[in-house]
Amino acid sequence: MDYAKFVDQQIASLRETVGSGLAINALSGGVDSSVVTALGHRALGDRLKTVFIDNALMREGEPQRVVQTFAAMGIPVELVDARDEFLAALRGLTDPEDKRNAITGTFYSKVFGRLVRQTGARFLLHGTILTDIEETVAGIKRQHNVLAQLGINTEEQFGYTVLEPIIQLRKPAVRIVAKAMGLPPEIFKRPPFPGPALAARVIGEVTPERAELVRKATVIVEAELKRNAKGAFQYFAILHPDKVTGLRNGKRDYGWQIEVRCWDSKDARIGSPTKLPWSVLMKLSKRLTTEVPGVVSVTYNIATKPPSTIEAV
Ligand code: XMP
C-alpha cells in the first residue's frame, strides 16, 4: 500500500465531503483517533474542532498528557469534563454489555450530541478500523465505535454524519500512517487501550472508588511491564468484584483482588499470556498489595484468547 497516497486521498475526500462546513472529533490519544485528528486538521484546519472527553475512566494524567502532545504539534484540543455524566450512567450496572451501552449512549447522544449542537458541526470524524467491524459483525464483542454496522442511523438519531477515514485499515497499517504523518512514537507505538477505557477493566459496578483503584493498579502494572515485557502486545490490571480474606499486620483483612494480564499477540484476534519471569510477577504482587489501598490478592491470567478475550469486560 502507498501510505502517502492514502493520506492524500483521505485528506481530499474529507475536504470534499465537509465542504465549507464544520466537523468535530473526539480524540482519546490512541493511535486510531490520533491519525484521524491529524488527517482532519490537515484537511480542514480550524474547521475541525477536536475534543478530549474526560469520562472519569482514563488512566492517571492521561487527559492532560494527550492535550499537551497535540498542542506541541500545533493542534488545539479542548478538554471536556464529562466525568459526572459517565459515572452517573454507569451507576448500578454490572453486566458488561450494559456498561458498554451506557458508555456509548452517554458519549454519542449526550456529551457529543451537546457538543455538536453547540458547535453546529454536521460531521463527526471517527477512528473506526476494520478490526472493530469484524469483531462486532462476528458478534464477539460490541466495539463502542461501530454504529452504522449495527443499523444505527446517526443522522436520524443524533443529528450528525459520521465519517470514518481509516475504516479500511487494520492496526499495523494505522501505525504506519501515524508515523508517515509525523506523529510522535508515543502515539504510533502506543499499546491499545479500549474505548470503554478502565470500565473494561473493572468487573462489576464501576464506582468512582473502584475506577480509582484500578487506575492506581494500572500505573504500577504499566511501569513494571514497560520495563520487563518489552515485546508484549498489551498489559494491564483488572479489578475483581468480590473481596477475599487476607491477612495484614497479624489481623484479618477483607480486601480486593487485582488480576494482571499480559498478552503476546499480533493483532488481538488471538493471544497467549506472556511467559513473565517469576521475579517480575513477585515484584508486581509486592507493589500492588502495598501501594494500592485494600488489595490483598494478585493473580496472573494464564488463559489464551480464545476462549478468553484480551479485556475482561
Ligand atoms: P478483546 O477484549 O475483544 O480486545 O479481546 C481486542 C482488542 O480490542 C481492544 N478493545 C477495544 N477497543 N473499543 C476499542 O476501541 C472497545 O470497545 C474495545 N474493547 C476491547 C482491546 O484492548 C484489545 O486490544
Side-chain angles (χ1 to χ4, degrees):
M1 186 170 162
D2 183 340
Y3 290 97
K5 195 167 157 203
F6 173 85
V7 168
D8 289 344
Q9 278 170 347
Q10 294 310 319
I11 289 174
S13 154
L14 284 173
R15 275 193 192 134
E16 194 186 318
T17 313
V18 176
S20 58
L22 285 178
I24 185 168
N25 83 310
L27 170 68
S28 68
V31 64
D32 305 342
S33 66
S34 294
V35 164
V36 166
T37 301
L39 283 171
H41 274 270
R42 282 212 199 154
L44 308 169
D46 58 13
R47 282 183 297 114
L48 173 66
K49 181 181 174 64
T50 300
V51 293
F52 183 105
I53 295 177
D54 187 350
N55 57 9
L57 305 165
M58 305 312 291
R59 287 168 291 187
E60 187 82 45
E62 195 161 26
Q64 295 72 20
R65 206 163 45 241
V66 172
V67 170
Q68 273 163 17
T69 303
F70 277 80
M73 293 187 282
I75 298 179
V77 178
E78 187 186 326
L79 185 55
V80 176
D81 181 359
R83 288 177 293 182
D84 291 345
E85 259 171 297
F86 280 90
L87 289 169
L90 286 164
R91 199 168 298 140
L93 303 183
T94 52
D95 178 80
E97 291 298 296
D98 289 349
K99 283 157 64 178
R100 283 172 174 262
N101 280 334
I103 292 170
T104 308
T106 307
F107 186 87
Y108 286 100
S109 40
K110 282 202 160 169
V111 180
F112 234 141
R114 195 165 56 234
L115 288 166
V116 171
R117 280 193 299 280
Q118 281 167 1
T119 55
R122 289 261 339 276
F123 299 92
L124 167 62
L125 268 48
H126 210 282
T128 318
I129 64 169
L130 196 53
T131 324
D132 300 335
I133 311 276
E134 288 168 341
E135 291 223 327
T136 300
V137 171
I140 296 168
K141 197 175 276 191
R142 200 168 75 72
Q143 302 289 342
H144 84 299
N145 50 1
V146 179
L147 295 165
Q149 288 69 28
L150 296 168
I152 294 173
N153 183 331
T154 55
E155 202 125 23
E156 265 173 27
Q157 274 179 263
F158 308 132
Y160 49 69
T161 305
V162 178
L163 305 177
E164 298 172 311
I166 55 171
I167 199 157
Q168 310 153 34
L169 308 181
R170 289 204 175 85
K171 195 68 90 181
V174 183
R175 293 189 192 280
I176 295 170
V177 171
K179 193 174 177 189
M181 293 193 77
L183 296 174
E186 75 244 36
I187 288 174
F188 68 77
K189 285 190 182 162
R190 192 174 114 131
F193 186 62
L198 294 177
R201 297 167 181 182
V202 173
I203 305 176
E205 187 182 357
V206 183
T207 61
E209 296 75 27
R210 306 191 74 230
E212 188 53 31
L213 238 148
V214 87
R215 185 176 292 119
K216 285 204 163 83
T218 301
V219 172
I220 295 169
V221 172
E222 288 191 348
E224 289 301 324
L225 296 186
K226 189 175 183 178
R227 275 198 295 275
N228 294 302
K230 284 205 160 69
F233 177 78
Q234 208 173 345
Y235 37 76
F236 47 90
I238 291 166
L239 176 64
H240 281 244
D242 297 327
K243 283 183 150 184
V244 289
T245 301
L247 183 70
R248 212 186 281 276
N249 304 325
K251 276 206 190 113
R252 183 181 187 276
D253 188 7
Y254 195 47
W256 302 114
Q257 306 177 66
I258 291 287
E259 175 186 333
V260 176
R261 293 189 180 190
C262 180
W263 292 102
D264 289 341
S265 176
K266 267 206 185 72
D267 56 11
R269 281 187 287 183
I270 57 170
S272 53
T274 303
K275 217 169 175 184
L276 290 176
W278 189 248
S279 56
V280 171
L281 290 169
M282 285 293 98
K283 177 95 184 283
L284 280 171
S285 149
K286 179 86 190 160
R287 288 197 61 190
L288 289 165
T289 51
T290 51
E291 295 176 37
V292 186
V295 172
V296 298
S297 166
V298 176
T299 57
Y300 183 52
N301 180 47
I302 53 168
T304 56
K305 173 183 178 175
S308 182
T309 52
I310 303 276
E311 306 287 346
V313 169

